[in-house]
Amino acid sequence: FTSERMPTLNQLLLFAKITHVGLNLELKSAGAATETLVMKVIEALVMNPIPPERLLISSFEMPTLTLFR
């Protein structure tokens, strides 16, 4: 699998939209600014909306979840 590339968030959201699968997006800031992470995810979801019943946003970082909410 060394030649396999991980899909971008936009590619994943588009795939989920086309195939009608549910997603659990776990947000991990990993040293990045939490606000930047949350804004990028929100921008991606605006561009490729997923019905709320098929989308779960999770994180072990409470500040991240609070910002996303």
Side-chain angles (χ1 to χ4, degrees):
F1 296 103
T2 58
S3 63
E4 294 294 321
R5 294 182 53 104
M6 185 176 291
T8 66
L9 179 56
N10 284 325
Q11 290 170 334
L12 177 65
L13 293 173
L14 182 59
F15 174 80
K17 186 177 182 179
I18 292 170
T19 59
H20 304 284
V21 298
L23 290 178
N24 175 6
L25 292 180
E26 182 174 346
L27 305 181
K28 298 179 181 182
S29 61
T34 302
E35 296 86 6
T36 303
L37 170 69
V38 170
M39 289 308 299
K40 287 183 183 266
V41 171
I42 290 172
E43 289 170 3
L45 286 168
V46 167
M47 298 297 293
N48 297 290
I50 301 294
E53 63 273 10
R54 292 197 342 243
L55 179 64
L56 174 67
I57 303 294
S58 61
S59 180
F60 287 107
E61 303 167 2
M62 188 54 80
T64 302
L65 289 175
T66 302
L67 277 173
F68 193 85
R69 194 165 213 267

